[in-house]
Amino acid sequence: MYIDNINIKINSCGKEIIAKQDKIMISGPCAIESYEQLLETAKFVKSQGANVLRGGAFKPRTSPNSFKGLKEEGLEILKAVKKETGLAVITELMDVRDLEKVYEVSDIIQIGSRNMQNFTLLTEVGKQDKPIMLKRGFVATVKEWIGASEYIIAEGNSKILMCERGIRTFSDYTRNTLDLAVVPIIKKETNLPVIVDPSHGTGVRELIKPMSLAGLAAGADGLMIEVHPQPEIALSDGEQSLHFNEYEDLMRDIKIFM
């Protein structure tokens, strides 16, 4: 993918899959639950125009009793589905000890909100040659978020996608408050591409479509959308995951920005 003045080429199975004019559409389940679940979702989102598949193998959860991902088994499933579909893939790296395993599978390495200021982790991914998606911490200021990106850049890796995924405010209607003002701010201050994640940004399924449209209208370079074959029985974030028909509706309506 080539966006603004940053040159990020993502290859999947030896094929460049994102051209200069494209938006980055990252879609898939919050967590990998099985090969069948991920493959079904991957084939569907690809048919609708997604160019990157998301799927969490290692899941940071507020409670230790929540589903924390299939870990190494999840990475093997992600690897198999990537080979089957030809989609580029993204998954989260939580621990520097898992870097080699995640690097082997993932085309983009995600640093999640809780690890935005894990400076050891940022330093290590900065030494890698793959794109890094840096999610904004849910209590992070813009200056802190930019500072975190500079830890990665300082090690030689400027292939960074900045992901706005909502911040914590006094509002309790939504899971977080999606701060769309940061889209033009980050592009102005860093010239890095910005991805908007309305799934985590709102936590409310029916808000994902309008906030996706708003994010793209604000100048976002792409979206990160949670999609699941059966959100009602999802092991993680089902309430903010789109059904297939809802995702199809979203992709139809955002074509004006593509």
Side-chain angles (χ1 to χ4, degrees):
M1 92 190 80
Y2 299 92
I3 298 177
D4 295 330
N5 294 328
I6 184 169
N7 183 350
I8 303 178
K9 180 184 290 186
I10 298 176
N11 291 312
S12 181
C13 303
K15 180 181 179 183
E16 186 180 336
I17 53 92
I18 302 177
K20 183 174 183 179
Q21 69 273 19
D22 291 338
K23 296 292 184 181
I24 308 160
M25 292 305 303
I26 304 170
S27 307
C30 174
I32 300 166
E33 299 169 7
S34 68
Y35 173 77
E36 292 77 17
Q37 169 244 17
L38 189 63
L39 181 62
E40 181 183 2
T41 307
K43 287 183 175 180
F44 178 75
V45 298
K46 182 179 181 180
S47 74
Q48 299 303 308
N51 39 33
V52 181
L53 172 67
R54 66 156 293 159
F58 299 91
K59 295 300 302 176
R61 305 302 300 277
T62 302
S63 170
N65 299 316
S66 300
F67 177 66
K68 295 189 288 296
L70 297 178
K71 302 179 173 61
E72 286 82 2
E73 180 187 353
L75 289 178
E76 288 301 313
I77 292 171
L78 189 61
K79 183 178 181 179
V81 171
K82 172 182 173 178
K83 183 177 181 181
E84 173 77 15
T85 63
L87 282 168
V89 300
I90 180 172
T91 197
E92 182 170 353
L93 174 67
M94 292 174 51
D95 192 317
V96 70
R97 293 171 293 184
D98 298 316
L99 176 55
E100 186 175 340
K101 290 176 283 190
V102 170
Y103 178 93
E104 180 186 354
V105 175
S106 196
D107 296 285
I108 309 171
I109 298 172
Q110 175 181 313
I111 302 298
S113 178
R114 291 173 175 84
N115 276 310
M116 190 205 80
Q117 289 186 309
N118 183 336
F119 301 122
T120 300
L121 198 59
L122 298 178
T123 297
E124 290 305 310
V125 297
K127 298 173 183 177
Q128 310 307 311
D129 59 358
K130 289 190 175 181
I132 309 300
M133 188 171 78
L134 181 63
K135 284 202 159 191
R136 183 184 184 182
F138 56 82
V139 293
T141 65
V142 171
K143 187 175 292 186
E144 290 167 339
W145 188 19
I146 293 173
S149 73
E150 290 172 345
Y151 269 86
I152 301 172
I153 293 170
E155 298 300 322
N157 189 350
S158 60
K159 297 181 286 188
I160 301 170
L161 306 170
M162 301 288 275
C163 182
E164 163 58 30
R165 47 81 68 206
I167 54 175
R168 182 170 290 173
T169 68
F170 58 81
S171 174
D172 61 359
Y173 186 90
T174 54
R175 176 175 178 174
N176 295 289
T177 297
L178 192 61
D179 183 9
L180 294 182
V182 300
V183 176
I185 291 171
I186 290 295
K187 292 170 77 70
K188 174 179 176 290
E189 296 295 329
T190 70
N191 204 32
L192 293 172
V194 181
I195 307 298
V196 169
D197 178 353
S199 299
H200 283 90
T202 67
V204 182
R205 184 179 296 121
E206 57 265 29
L207 295 179
I208 292 173
K209 177 180 171 181
M211 298 313 291
S212 294
L213 291 165
L216 293 173
D221 298 290
L223 301 171
M224 190 173 198
I225 307 291
E226 291 190 349
V227 185
H228 194 285
Q230 295 178 280
E232 294 78 9
I233 61 171
L235 297 180
S236 176
D237 286 354
E239 67 282 356
Q240 63 186 45
S241 299
L242 295 183
H243 296 85
F244 283 6
N245 65 310
E246 293 168 327
Y247 183 76
E248 184 176 7
D249 179 61
L250 167 68
M251 293 299 285
R252 181 173 57 249
D253 284 1
I254 66 172
K255 283 182 179 179
I256 188 174
F257 296 104
M258 305 300 280

